[in-house]
């Protein structure tokens, strides 16, 4: 709707104006009327109309004088002069002082509509040019602000400052808040929906985030919405609280179906510090996994204090997890993952170290996929990016929920290859023992180390596949070889046979042989 005021000293003509057309139906709103020039000028100052329809012949201030003052003070207001035939010469002169159009009395509905249509067309063209100019200015400002957060040398761009009327930024204090829409990468939204969500966030931030600083809100890299705060001398960031960000998340969640998280960089002096504060805000966002899910504003300064808590992550947890995977112990996998999560929470581990631990868990899982001979593409969809997944998780709980699903999915796909894999490992281990039984120092640990597996796993597959321990199998292999040698008829010395089958102590060999066969080596040799 375009706002219109009417100025005419005749009441009946003002009444005619109001009734001659359906103003609203044609896109106009009558917002006032005046009976003389001075009253009309006050009305224009108060209501700031788009169009002023002014009679040329009025008391105190005639239409020509009124038009001149309006065009001088409010050049964007369109003035339409109403005149009679006897005053036509004045109306013609009025065009030279900036009056946009005139209409002759008496006029009918059609003549008024034609005049209004011409003005409306000019208004729409002007509005379009304004919008285009404003969009260009906003695009230029957004580009310049993005340059400030992404380029360490952006502070030298005095030309851009001048063009954007932002030269006052040079010697201020600054602080950056980066806002991300949670789960944006996982939802696979089309570009229009992403733009809509960012527009909603920008609009709400302008209303909700209160601070002493002058705000600049713009779209930043990686679909972030950036709030750049500029502080004057004596102002500081302590006025920035979490309340506005809490309301932002509440409103976006309740009314628009998505949530947000914000990262706050530190405050510093000079335009060159903007880049530093932005980097800190992104670091804070990436460390949100170490914070409580209810937190909306992640502060870099708090992240720094947490970074000292690197802790000592026990590698046995990963080793146990791999054993449980190989043995398909679903409950133990769940328990171990929960133990790792509890360790992180108890020790208040920093976000970067959490991501390192999670990356290790992913690598371990994918190593097992390779170990069982399954192509990763058979289990996971194309474009599967586990390390990007864990980086984008909003909380520790969400990250470990996803990790448990990953392990269960791999476990489910590996069930049909469990026996063949175990049998293969068992066969290779038996062959290794059959080759190295003569080594008196041969132990379970040596065999498991050779095959890069855990001793517990080696013991497990021997028990399941052969019904005996690894040590028993070593002893059985040695006794079998000893019996072959004793039965060969080569009359070999017992000490030599003992050494050949892995016993440096003859007494120990004889005792073990008798326990195994019920006969001493000498008795066994005589009976063969």
């Amino acid at each position: 709707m375009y706002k219109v005021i009417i100025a005419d000293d005749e009441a009946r003509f003002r009444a005619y104006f109001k009734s001659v057309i359906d103003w609203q139906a044609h896109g106009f709103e009558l917002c006032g009327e005046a009976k003389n020039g001075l009253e009309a000028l006050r009305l224009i100052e108060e209501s700031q109309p788009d169009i002023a329809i002014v009679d040329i012949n009025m008391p105190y201030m005639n239409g020509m004088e009124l038009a001149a003052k309006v065009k001088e003070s409010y050049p964007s207001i369109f003035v339409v002069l109403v005149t009679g035939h006897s005053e036509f010469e004045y109306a013609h002169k009025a065009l030279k002082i900036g009056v946009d159009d005139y209409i002759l009395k008496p006029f009918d509905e059609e003549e008024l509509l034609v005049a209004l249509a011409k003005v409306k067309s000019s208004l729409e063209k002007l509005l379009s040019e304004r919008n285009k100019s404003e969009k260009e200015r906003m695009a230029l400002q957004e580009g310049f602000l993005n340059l400030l957060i992404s380029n360490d040398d952006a502070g030298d761009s005095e030309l851009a400052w001048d063009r954007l009327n932002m030269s006052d930024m040079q010697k201020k204090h600054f602080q950056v808040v980066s806002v991300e829409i949670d789960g944006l990468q996982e939802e696979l939204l089309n570009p229009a929906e992403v733009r809509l969500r960012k527009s909603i966030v920008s609009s709400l931030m302008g209303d909700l985030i209160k601070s002493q600083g002058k705000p600049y809100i713009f779209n930043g890299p990686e679909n972030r919405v950036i709030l750049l705060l500029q502080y004057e001398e004596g102002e500081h960031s302590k006025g920035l609280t979490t309340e506005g960000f809490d309301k932002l998340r509440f409103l976006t969640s309740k009314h628009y179906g998505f949530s947000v998280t914000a990262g706050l960089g530190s405050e510093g002096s000079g335009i060159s510090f903007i880049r530093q504060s932005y980097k800190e805000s992104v670091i804070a966002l990436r460390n949100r996994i170490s914070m409580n899910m209810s937190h909306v504003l992640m502060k870099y300064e708090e992240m720094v204090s947490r970074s000292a808590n690197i802790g000592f992550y026990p590698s046995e947890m990963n080793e146990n997890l791999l054993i449980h995977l190989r043995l398909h112990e679903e409950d133990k996998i769940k328990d171990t993952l929960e133990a790792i999560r509890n360790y992180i929470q108890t020790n208040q581990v920093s976000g970067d170290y959490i991501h390192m631990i999670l990356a290790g868990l992913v690598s371990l899982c994918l190593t097992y996929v390779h170990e069982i001979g399954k192509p990763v593409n058979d289990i996971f969809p194309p474009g599967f990016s586990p390390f990007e997944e864990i980086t984008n998780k909003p909380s520790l709980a969400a990250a470990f929920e996803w990790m448990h699903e990953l392990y269960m999915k791999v476990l489910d796909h590996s069930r049909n290859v469990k026996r063949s894999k175990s049998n293969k490992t068992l066969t290779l281990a038996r062959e290794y023992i059959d080759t190295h039984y003569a080594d008196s120092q041969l132990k379970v640990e040596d065999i498991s180390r050779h095959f890069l597996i855990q001793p517990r796993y080696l013991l497990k597959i021997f028990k399941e596949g052969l019904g005996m321990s690894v040590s028993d199998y070593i002893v059985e292999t040695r006794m079998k070889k000893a019996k072959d040698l004793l039965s060969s008829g080569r009359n070999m010395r017992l000490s030599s046979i003992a050494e050949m089958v892995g016993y440096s102590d003859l007494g120990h060999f004889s005792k073990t042989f008798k326990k195994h066969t019920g006969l001493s080596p000498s008795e066994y040799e005589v009976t063969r």
Side-chain angles (χ1 to χ4, degrees):
M1 290 283 183
Y2 293 108
K3 295 194 298 181
V4 180
I5 67 111
I6 299 169
D8 195 295
D9 61 333
E10 295 184 49
R12 66 179 182 84
F13 219 89
R14 295 197 302 272
Y16 176 72
F17 261 115
K18 290 189 286 187
S19 62
V20 68
I21 63 170
D22 186 343
W23 290 88
Q24 288 199 347
H26 291 91
F28 299 98
E29 175 193 356
L30 285 175
C31 62
E33 57 182 282
K35 56 182 178 293
N36 60 62
L38 291 177
E39 191 176 295
L41 187 60
R42 287 195 297 269
L43 181 60
I44 288 171
E45 290 172 348
E46 293 171 0
S47 60
Q48 295 287 307
D50 298 298
I51 304 170
I53 301 177
V54 178
D55 184 36
I56 197 171
N57 198 4
M58 292 186 296
Y60 305 121
M61 181 186 291
N62 65 37
M64 292 282 284
E65 293 171 325
L66 176 62
K69 287 183 178 294
V70 169
K71 282 299 178 180
E72 180 182 355
S73 301
Y74 310 102
S76 63
I77 294 178
F78 280 69
V79 178
V80 177
L81 206 61
V82 180
T83 181
H85 284 282
S86 61
E87 301 153 342
F88 180 75
E89 184 179 345
Y90 290 104
H92 190 68
K93 288 180 179 178
L95 295 178
K96 296 181 180 180
I97 66 171
V99 171
D100 297 282
D101 204 354
Y102 62 88
I103 185 169
L104 297 175
K105 290 181 181 180
F107 55 83
D108 58 18
E109 176 185 357
E110 182 179 334
E111 289 174 309
L112 179 58
L113 286 175
V114 169
L116 289 172
K118 289 169 64 178
V119 175
K120 188 177 181 180
S121 175
S122 298
L123 274 169
E124 290 174 345
K125 181 180 179 181
L126 179 63
L127 185 62
S128 175
E129 290 174 351
R130 283 179 182 171
N131 289 339
K132 181 180 178 182
S133 176
E134 179 63 14
K135 286 181 180 178
E136 289 175 349
R137 192 191 73 81
M138 292 299 294
L140 186 62
Q141 176 174 298
E142 185 170 292
F144 174 61
L145 292 172
N146 270 279
L147 187 65
L148 292 181
I149 65 174
S150 61
N151 189 333
D152 292 324
D153 298 324
D156 296 331
S157 185
E158 294 185 11
L159 177 61
W161 289 344
D162 293 338
R163 290 182 65 186
L164 292 165
N165 297 318
M166 298 170 72
S167 57
D168 64 328
M169 295 180 69
Q170 298 184 50
K171 297 180 180 179
K172 308 295 183 182
H173 281 242
F174 299 96
Q175 187 172 32
V176 176
V177 182
S178 293
V179 180
E180 285 188 350
I181 299 170
D182 297 335
L184 202 59
Q185 296 84 355
E186 299 171 5
E187 291 191 60
L188 301 176
L189 301 174
N190 61 56
E193 179 64 23
V194 173
R195 286 195 299 271
L196 176 60
R197 291 193 180 187
K198 287 160 60 178
S199 176
I200 290 169
V201 171
S202 296
S203 178
L204 289 174
M205 282 175 65
D207 295 332
L208 298 174
I209 309 303
K210 306 300 180 186
S211 171
Q212 289 185 327
K214 178 182 178 180
Y216 296 92
I217 299 173
F218 59 98
N219 292 325
E222 300 180 48
N223 287 321
R224 299 186 186 103
V225 178
I226 308 300
L227 169 61
L228 171 62
L229 293 168
Q230 173 186 306
Y231 299 107
E232 300 291 336
E233 188 69 32
E235 293 179 341
H236 49 75
S237 61
K238 291 182 180 178
L240 185 66
T241 66
T242 62
E243 182 180 358
F245 295 97
D246 291 335
K247 288 182 180 178
L248 177 64
R249 175 182 279 184
F250 172 77
L251 291 176
T252 54
S253 298
K254 181 178 180 180
H255 298 286
Y256 302 103
F258 65 89
S259 64
V260 297
T261 305
L264 176 65
S266 56
E267 177 193 342
S269 176
I271 203 164
S272 60
F273 190 79
I274 293 175
R275 166 68 170 161
Q276 177 64 29
S277 186
Y278 170 70
K279 289 192 290 187
E280 292 175 356
S281 72
V282 173
I283 292 171
L285 278 173
R286 289 176 178 169
N287 278 268
R288 62 187 164 190
I289 195 171
S290 65
M291 305 297 287
N292 190 293
M293 280 188 70
S294 63
H295 292 177
V296 182
L297 186 63
M298 308 293 142
K299 300 179 180 180
Y300 175 76
E301 291 177 354
E302 294 181 5
M303 299 297 112
V304 172
S305 65
R306 276 176 168 258
S307 65
N309 296 323
I310 295 179
F312 177 75
Y313 177 66
S315 60
E316 311 90 72
M317 288 185 174
N318 283 19
E319 295 170 357
N320 291 337
L321 203 52
L322 185 56
I323 292 171
H324 300 324
L325 261 176
R326 286 166 172 164
L327 300 179
H328 285 208
E329 296 173 334
E330 186 173 326
D331 291 340
K332 291 184 179 180
I333 290 174
K334 182 179 180 180
D335 291 343
T336 304
L337 287 173
E338 187 63 25
I340 295 172
R341 177 186 168 187
N342 289 335
Y343 167 85
I344 291 172
Q345 289 179 322
T346 301
N347 291 274
Q348 294 188 325
V349 174
S350 69
D352 288 341
Y353 199 60
I354 291 173
H355 286 134
M356 188 179 78
I357 292 173
L358 292 173
L361 295 176
V362 170
S363 296
L364 186 146
C365 194
L366 297 181
T367 296
Y368 177 68
V369 171
H370 177 73
E371 185 179 288
I372 62 177
K374 276 272 188 180
V376 173
N377 291 339
D378 287 358
I379 302 177
F380 304 108
F384 174 65
S385 180
F387 301 106
E388 184 177 341
E389 289 271 4
I390 59 176
T391 301
N392 292 325
K393 292 305 172 189
S395 66
L396 194 63
F400 271 86
E401 181 180 349
W402 177 86
M403 190 69 70
H404 181 258
E405 291 174 358
L406 177 74
Y407 271 73
M408 291 304 102
K409 190 169 188 176
V410 167
L411 193 62
D412 186 59
H413 278 80
S414 69
R415 294 190 193 281
N416 61 338
V417 296
K418 173 189 174 184
R419 184 162 301 278
S420 61
K421 178 62 184 176
S422 298
N423 285 344
K424 181 178 179 181
T425 304
L426 178 61
T427 299
L428 291 173
R430 290 175 64 185
E431 290 175 356
Y432 185 87
I433 293 170
D434 290 345
T435 305
H436 296 82
Y437 65 90
D439 181 0
S440 61
Q441 301 301 314
L442 183 63
K443 296 185 294 292
V444 173
E445 289 75 9
D446 301 322
I447 303 166
S448 60
R449 190 181 303 113
H450 178 79
F451 292 104
L452 302 178
I453 57 178
Q454 290 292 317
R456 285 176 55 194
Y457 177 65
L458 186 64
L459 294 170
K460 183 77 172 180
I461 62 174
F462 266 77
K463 192 69 176 177
E464 288 183 347
L466 300 178
M468 66 174 65
S469 68
V470 179
S471 297
D472 288 343
Y473 183 78
I474 293 174
V475 171
E476 183 166 308
T477 301
R478 285 171 171 169
M479 294 302 102
K480 183 177 181 298
K481 298 300 181 182
K483 287 189 286 184
D484 290 341
L485 291 172
L486 289 169
S487 304
S488 67
R490 294 164 59 186
N491 295 321
M492 298 176 65
R493 296 177 58 180
L494 289 182
S495 59
S496 297
I497 294 175
E499 187 174 351
M500 292 173 67
V501 297
Y503 290 89
S504 57
D505 187 323
L506 179 58
H508 184 208
F509 166 68
S510 299
K511 184 178 180 179
T512 303
F513 189 92
K514 186 170 185 178
K515 181 180 179 180
H516 189 76
T517 63
L519 299 170
S520 67
S522 300
E523 292 171 338
Y524 185 87
E525 187 177 29
V526 170
T527 60
R528 298 297 146 182

